[in-house]
Every structure is written in C-alpha cells, then in structure tokens.
Amino acid sequence: MSELARHIENKAASDQTQKRVEEISAIYEISQALNSVPIDDLLSLITEKAAAVMDAHACSLMLKDPRRNELVIKASYGLDEQIVESTRVAYGEGIAGRVAASGEPMLLTNLSEDPRFAYSEVVPRPEIVSSICVPLRDTEGRVQGVLSIHRRYPAPLFTEDDVKVFSVFASQAAQAVSNAHLYASLNEKVQEL
C-alpha cells in the first residue's frame, strides 16, 4: 500500500472516529439535560443536536395531539416558522403519519421514485435530497410521536447506519417526553391533595 493510500485510509478512519465521538457526546448531553431543563427547551435541544450530529439541514419533533388523532410539531430546527405552526398530520397519512401508525423508521432517498408513495398524496419537495423519520415510543412501547431530519441538495444521502444513530436520538426524546408527562401527572395529583 502506498504512503498516500495509507494516509487517505487513516484520515477516513480518524474522521469516522471523530463523528462517533460527536454522536456520543450529543447523546450524553441530552441525557444529562433530561431532568435539569424545561421540557420545551429539552425538545429544542434534541432537534438542534440531532441536526448537528447528523449533518442535517432541518429536524422536527412531532407529538400526538391528545385531543385529536394527529401529530403536531413541538420542537424544530431549521424549519420555517409558518411550517411549524401550520403542520398537522393525521396518523397513517404523509410520511410522519405513516411512521407513527406503523411504528417503523423510514429512510427516504428518492421520494419521487419510492414505490411506497406511488399512489400517495405526498408531494416531494425538490430541494430535499434525503430524510429519516423515526417513531418516538413511550415506556410501554406505544408510539407517541416522530422525530424527522432532512438534508437538502447537494448533501449526501442518509444511510441505514444513519437510521440506527438517529433512532438513539428518538429514544432520548421519547424518554424526555415520558418523564415530562409523568412529572405533570404527579404534580396534578399533588395539587389535588
């Protein structure tokens, strides 16, 4: 192996190691913040860190509206405020709704040619090159929302390995939401007493 090839191989390994350290650091930071910051701030931290670590341009965290069978954006990074305020997705509809209904993560790299959406109302946005959407599960395994990220052209496509890493963020987000709901419920009971 030539010196140049060895140097390139070492650089690639070093870059990969650095990326994994950043992922682990972000996950650790989120887990440390679980009990020390208000839930809205924590959800915003999750979307910001997820976008940064995954080299994504946008991230959203959607939760089920307790009064309806639909998802609403509770925290986001890199999304237009109008999109955040107006987005409501019914379970089973759209990408987020399908992930919430199925409980399975979804990797999208070419929505216009994806057979899952051949007869769908989903209209791909031309600037998005790749997306990942993963479910948020509570401690009983029920889907309570979804976490999504997007890359815009000319960024590289997400991979199956990215789905695995992103799923860890989703588990941290789900834990935060579950803890917040538990705290609110306990607080209500204390107030009643």
Side-chain angles (χ1 to χ4, degrees), residues 8 16 28 34 48 53 66 73-74 78 80 82 86 89 93 97-98 100 107 127 130 137 145 158 165 172 187 190:
I8 292 171
Q16 186 68 17
Y28 176 77
L34 277 176
E48 180 184 326
V53 170
I73 298 175
K74 292 295 186 180
D80 183 88
Q82 184 179 6
S86 65
V89 178
E93 295 181 13
R98 288 181 183 197
L107 170 63
E127 74 275 11
S130 189
R137 296 183 182 278
F158 286 119
V165 171
Q172 290 296 316
N187 199 26
V190 167

Side-chain angles (χ1 to χ4, degrees), residues 54-113:
M54 301 300 297
D55 294 324
H57 297 103
C59 181
S60 65
L61 190 150
M62 301 178 84
L63 296 177
K64 185 176 182 180
D65 183 329
R67 298 163 293 172
R68 301 178 178 181
N69 198 30
E70 61 186 12
L71 299 164
V72 294
I73 298 175
K74 292 295 186 180
S76 68
Y77 172 83
L79 290 181
D80 183 88
E81 194 61 37
Q82 184 179 6
I83 292 172
V84 172
E85 291 174 8
S86 65
T87 299
R88 301 189 86 67
V89 178
Y91 268 54
E93 295 181 13
I95 295 165
R98 288 181 183 197
V99 168
S102 72
E104 295 297 321
M106 193 177 291
L107 170 63
L108 302 162
T109 56
N110 189 350
L111 194 59
S112 62
E113 295 180 14

Side-chain angles (χ1 to χ4, degrees), residues 43 59 86 117 134 140 172-173 177-178:
L43 298 179
C59 181
S86 65
F117 299 99
V134 296
E140 283 82 42
Q172 290 296 316
V177 172
S178 292

Side-chain angles (χ1 to χ4, degrees), residues 6-187:
R6 227 182 337 270
H7 175 72
I8 292 171
E9 188 176 285
N10 288 341
K11 173 80 169 109
S14 175
D15 290 348
Q16 186 68 17
T17 300
Q18 180 61 32
K19 181 152 178 62
R20 294 297 173 233
V21 167
E22 290 171 8
E23 292 165 358
I24 292 168
S25 295
I27 292 166
Y28 176 77
E29 187 175 338
I30 290 166
S31 69
Q32 292 301 300
L34 277 176
N35 299 318
S36 62
V37 299
I39 186 66
D40 291 341
D41 293 345
L42 179 61
L43 298 179
S44 292
L45 176 67
I46 289 168
T47 58
E48 180 184 326
K49 291 294 181 183
V53 170
M54 301 300 297
D55 294 324
H57 297 103
C59 181
S60 65
L61 190 150
M62 301 178 84
L63 296 177
K64 185 176 182 180
D65 183 329
R67 298 163 293 172
R68 301 178 178 181
N69 198 30
E70 61 186 12
L71 299 164
V72 294
I73 298 175
K74 292 295 186 180
S76 68
Y77 172 83
L79 290 181
D80 183 88
E81 194 61 37
Q82 184 179 6
I83 292 172
V84 172
E85 291 174 8
S86 65
T87 299
R88 301 189 86 67
V89 178
Y91 268 54
E93 295 181 13
I95 295 165
R98 288 181 183 197
V99 168
S102 72
E104 295 297 321
M106 193 177 291
L107 170 63
L108 302 162
T109 56
N110 189 350
L111 194 59
S112 62
E113 295 180 14
D114 193 318
R116 294 174 290 188
F117 299 99
Y119 303 103
S120 172
E121 73 289 343
V122 176
V123 178
R125 294 195 346 232
E127 74 275 11
I128 304 251
V129 66
S130 189
S131 298
I132 301 174
C133 189
V134 296
L136 297 171
R137 296 183 182 278
D138 64 15
T139 54
E140 283 82 42
R142 296 177 303 236
V143 175
Q144 58 184 343
V146 297
L147 189 62
S148 303
I149 52 174
H150 311 288
R151 284 183 179 159
R152 296 184 186 107
Y153 283 106
L157 300 175
F158 286 119
T159 66
E160 288 295 334
D161 284 342
D162 292 326
V163 173
K164 291 174 187 170
V165 171
F166 193 55
S167 293
V168 174
F169 282 97
S171 68
Q172 290 296 316
Q175 182 180 356
V177 172
S178 292
N179 286 350
H181 288 308
L182 178 61
Y183 177 78
S185 175
L186 290 174
N187 199 26

